[in-house]
Amino acid sequence: MMLHENLPIKAFMTLRPCVIDEKLLVADAMDRMLANNIRHLIVVSNDQAVGVVEAGDLSQAAELSSRSTRELTVAEVKRQFFQCSSDMLVVEVVRAMESHHYSCSVVIEQGHVVGIFTLTDALRALRHTLRGRPVEPQVVPTHLPPIPLERQKTPPRVRATSMLANRGVVPSARDGLVFGTAGL
């Protein structure tokens, strides 16, 4: 079987990844990851990517620090990140991620974050290659636009910010998604 080495990561990357300001708390990052069904957040300062935090980083910081997750900031636990452009080939990005033990690559175009390519995306690219045709993601982050009703397998998700706005409440930077609309 011949593997296709000319696949660009733009075909597999997650668009519009979740970001978090480096001044926010580790507890905020944990909430955002849980609410959005993700394991990576891109850390930004003044709209520029300055690092990445992973779910494991946050758990480890919570366990090892003498301070609470309500005291630690994201800036204190962020790590360096690998960056690439959307036209780089999957094989090049995966090779760099493997050699440096990165679990994601931040996709940056003209100085702005446009996507993230994670190990989950790399596995989807592998399934695509092995099957010889495009494949659907097995896990979809909940911060992405909703799937049309005719394609949904689970009840629709509603953005907490939309529900709060309908009630005249201004949401915080931590608001994510909630399931259903019961009680609102």
Side-chain angles (χ1 to χ4, degrees):
M1 174 188 300
M2 185 174 108
L3 296 178
H4 302 283
E5 291 194 17
N6 59 350
L7 296 170
I9 65 162
K10 67 182 158 195
F12 304 100
M13 69 183 191
T14 300
L15 298 171
R16 298 175 311 280
C18 281
V19 301
I20 191 164
D21 190 276
E22 69 177 353
K23 295 175 187 158
L24 290 177
L25 301 173
V26 166
D28 297 329
M30 293 171 96
D31 288 347
R32 186 166 293 174
M33 284 183 183
L34 182 63
N36 291 300
N37 191 29
I38 57 175
R39 293 186 313 231
H40 301 87
L41 288 171
I42 300 170
V43 181
V44 295
S45 177
N46 299 321
D47 293 325
Q48 295 295 311
V50 295
V52 171
V53 290
E54 300 176 13
D57 299 333
L58 302 179
S59 297
Q60 188 174 34
E63 290 178 24
L64 298 178
S65 177
S66 59
R67 295 165 48 208
S68 157
T69 57
R70 297 260 174 227
E71 297 172 323
L72 283 172
T73 64
V74 172
E76 296 174 83
V77 297
K78 72 181 181 198
R79 62 170 61 190
Q80 288 183 315
F81 64 95
F82 175 69
Q83 91 177 42
C84 65
S85 64
S86 62
D87 59 349
M88 283 184 71
L89 300 180
V90 170
V91 70
E92 295 170 350
V93 175
V94 169
R95 185 178 296 126
M97 288 171 60
E98 179 185 6
S99 65
H100 296 288
H101 299 280
Y102 291 128
S103 63
C104 70
S105 176
V106 179
V107 185
I108 297 181
E109 298 289 342
Q110 299 174 357
H112 299 286
V113 174
V114 296
I116 188 168
F117 182 79
T118 67
L119 291 177
T120 301
D121 297 322
L123 289 171
R124 186 162 45 94
L126 176 63
R127 284 190 309 119
H128 169 94
T129 300
L130 293 174
R131 289 223 170 143
R133 60 181 167 79
V135 294
E136 291 292 321
Q138 295 297 298
V139 177
V140 179
T142 56
H143 73 281
L144 295 177
I147 299 169
L149 286 175
E150 63 273 4
R151 291 183 47 211
Q152 287 187 5
K153 296 178 183 163
T154 59
R157 295 175 169 117
V158 180
R159 246 188 216 291
T161 52
S162 300
M163 289 186 296
L164 292 171
N166 290 341
R167 293 173 46 194
V169 178
V170 177
S172 73
R174 298 181 349 175
D175 291 327
L177 297 177
V178 295
F179 294 91
T181 57
L184 291 176

